[in-house]
Each structure stands twice: as C-alpha cells, then as structure tokens.
Amino acid sequence: EVLAASRYAALATGVGVLVGRLAALSRARAGTARLAEVLAEPASAYGARELPSGPGRLELRGVTARRGGRTVLDGVDLTVPGGTTLAVVGRSGTGKSLLAEVAGRLADPDAGEVLLDGVPLRDLTHDALRRAVSYAFERPALFGATVEDALAFGLDRPPAHRVREAARTARADAFVRRLPRGYDTPLADAPRSGGESQRLGLARAFAHDGRLLILDDALSSLDTVTERQISRSLLTPGGPTRLLVAHRAATAAAADTVAWLDGGRLRAVGPHAELWREEEYRAVFGDAEAVTK
Ligand SMILES: Nc1ncnc2c1ncn2[C@@H]1O[C@H](COP(=O)(O)OP(=O)(O)O)[C@@H](O)[C@H]1O
Ligand SMILES: [Mg+2]
C-alpha cells in the first residue's frame, strides 16, 4: 500500500510538473504573439540634425493626418511662439490627441510638416527630439522599479532634487512621501488613484528640461483646486513652450492662446476671452461650465 501510494504520489507530481510546463509553454506562446505585434511596428526613422538654440517655437504647416481610413486632422496651420502656452480645445473625437501626438512626433503627419525652432521634427536625431519634447498623458504609463525611477525615467536621469521639485510642482510630493518608503517605494507597491497617476506623469514631464511640453488631457482627473494650482505654476513665463489639450474653461482661460479644433480643422485661434463670446465655443466646455462662467 505504501508502495502504491508513493507511486501514485510520484505520478501526481509528474503530472503536476507537466501541467506547469504546459502552462508555461502557452504563456510563452501568448507572450511571443504580443511581442511580435510590437516588433512588427515599423521603426521610426530619425534625421541627423541637432536643434539650434532657440525659444521653442512650434510650427504646424498644413498638417493632415488620417486614421482608420478617415482624415482626422485636415490641413492644420498653427504657430506657437517660443515660451508661450497654447490650449487646444474641442469636442471629444475631434483630433486633439492626434494633434498632440504629431506636435512632438509621437506620430508623423500624412501630409504637411511640424517644425521646432525652424527644424522639421523628422530631421532631428532621436536624442535631439526626445530631449526637446516632454509629454504628459491622461493615463500615463509609468516605468521603473521605484517611484523615484518612474519620475526620473527618460533619456537623461535628472538629479534627485529636480525630481522632488517636479513632484512638488505636480502636487505629487505629499502623497509620495506618505507611501511606505516614500520615493523608494517599489512602483508596484504604490497604490494610486487616477488623479495620483496623472500627477506622477506630470512630475515626470516636469523633471526633464525640454523646450516643448505637451500635456494631453493630463489634468483631467484632478480636482479643480489642484488643477488650478498646477495650471498656475505651468503658466509662469520663461518656461518651455506649452501645448495643453484642455477640457476645462479655466485652463483655456489661463493660456496665452486657444486653438479651437472642430472636426479636424481649426475653427478659430485666439484668446479664450474673445472666443468665449461665441455660443458654440462655450458649448465645447459643457453646459454646466457655460452657466457658471
Ligand atoms: N488608431 C486609430 N484608428 C482609427 N481611428 C482613430 C485612431 N486614432 C484616433 N482615431 C480617431 O480619430 C478621431 C480623433 O481622435 P482623438 O485625436 O483621440 O480625439 P480627441 O483627443 O479630440 O478626443 C476619433 O474619431 C478617433 O476615433
Ligand atoms: Mg484625446
């Protein structure tokens, strides 16, 4: 009986090992398929030019971009003087995120050109481009072993004091300090709400000195007080050129200029106060805000 039992036990262990192996094999298969998708993406080609010194003047010339067989951006011409802030507003699905992608060369337009300080983005080396442009997103993907690593992530690692300063500007410092090991907390052990994620994403963008800062709905999950505080420090003159996709009237009002996108075309470009006279512009921000403003 002992012999039989031990035989059965051995058999069971054997099957267990086999099942484990099979599971690993099918995970590897799924992983390979996902990796193949990434590898199948055409690699971006970069140029050989460096950026001349300049204030970060951004220029879009006849930018047209198609997605899913549809023209999403249609001949957009736009100039953002160096060091100023442009808010991009418009109804959902109108091409704001695609405009933000194209402005910092996360995507290339199908026609037209984007220039930074007179140099087409396509002509820049990878490093020149990535050093010049910082992004923050609505739902940031954070990388790194610890919170500190996640905020410092980028081409060049900023010194710790810059990371702390950026976190304070993004109103992320206080909750990071409350984590079990503060900035050294493993990223996987740092629970965070949507708003906290956004603030970490903002801090990462602020920690890197570029000449163009692009925020795509990166303040959308913040309460109005925090959004206002961050907008205020964002808009101090002398910083990088800023392009903010905004969905709150207060943010648009704080920008130097507003670009109003409608159906992939620029409907109007001008100061918020001027555009606000138009009922359709007010409607972009929803009825609630139109009433209280
Ligand atoms: N990869 C894609 N494939 C198909 N359609 C897309 C893709 N990316 C964006 N679109 C479409 O382009 C339009 C503009 O999208 P987006 O720039 O995200 O709008 P917004 O940020 O203003 O809400 C939407 O209608 C969207 O469905
Ligand atoms: Mg969007």
Side-chain angles (χ1 to χ4, degrees):
E1 275 172 13
V2 169
L3 183 67
S6 72
R7 285 284 167 150
Y8 280 123
L11 194 66
T13 325
V15 170
V17 167
L18 203 62
V19 167
R21 293 257 161 85
L22 280 175
L25 212 60
S26 79
R27 271 201 307 278
R29 229 178 108 111
T32 312
R34 293 180 62 184
L35 206 59
E37 275 173 37
V38 175
L39 294 174
E41 282 289 311
S44 307
Y46 295 93
R49 289 180 71 177
E50 298 294 329
L51 267 181
S53 60
R57 175 187 156 95
L58 176 71
E59 218 179 325
L60 278 71
R61 289 189 192 152
V63 165
T64 295
R66 284 179 275 276
R67 285 288 182 279
R70 216 165 56 79
T71 300
V72 175
L73 293 176
D74 192 4
V76 174
D77 289 304
L78 195 61
T79 301
V80 191
T84 68
T85 302
L86 176 84
V88 178
V89 308
R91 288 189 177 281
S92 144
T94 203
K96 302 183 298 294
S97 289
L98 193 52
L99 183 78
E101 280 177 37
V102 164
R105 208 180 168 213
L106 290 183
D108 283 322
D110 292 288
E113 236 179 356
V114 183
L115 301 97
L116 187 59
D117 285 321
V119 183
L121 294 185
R122 281 178 208 264
D123 293 350
L124 291 173
T125 64
H126 168 275
D127 288 9
L129 176 70
R130 292 296 156 227
R131 277 199 184 100
V133 186
S134 296
Y135 270 99
F137 303 97
E138 182 180 7
R139 278 188 291 274
L142 299 166
F143 309 102
T146 63
V147 172
E148 169 96 31
D149 288 347
L151 300 188
F153 190 89
L155 208 53
D156 305 301
R157 191 183 175 98
H161 72 91
R162 282 278 288 129
V163 171
R164 302 290 195 282
E165 186 192 319
R168 280 193 294 274
T169 310
R171 296 292 187 276
D173 183 67
F175 81 80
V176 171
R177 282 174 189 280
R178 279 197 300 271
L179 291 172
R181 291 170 58 194
Y183 284 85
D184 290 329
T185 307
L187 196 56
D189 301 343
R192 44 198 188 267
S193 66
E196 286 166 348
S197 271
Q198 279 194 346
R199 283 183 271 166
L200 293 178
L202 281 168
R204 178 177 58 186
F206 295 163
H208 295 82
D209 295 310
R211 62 176 86 177
L212 176 61
L213 179 63
I214 299 174
L215 269 50
D216 183 5
D217 257 340
L219 307 170
S220 59
S221 301
L222 306 179
D223 59 86
T224 38
V225 176
T226 309
E227 177 175 5
R228 235 163 254 205
Q229 289 170 336
I230 295 176
S231 308
R232 207 173 299 140
S233 39
L234 253 178
L235 298 168
T236 50
T241 306
R242 285 139 295 189
L243 192 148
L244 320 177
V245 174
H247 73 273
R248 284 188 187 151
T251 315
D256 297 301
T257 314
V258 178
W260 176 14
L261 262 188
D262 192 10
R265 286 170 176 270
L266 275 184
R267 173 86 176 258
V269 179
H272 176 77
E274 219 166 80
L275 299 177
W276 192 257
R277 290 188 209 122
E278 273 197 57
E279 193 182 331
E280 277 186 69
Y281 178 79
R282 295 196 296 272
V284 166
F285 301 96
D287 296 333
E289 272 197 281
V291 171
T292 54
K293 195 60 199 181

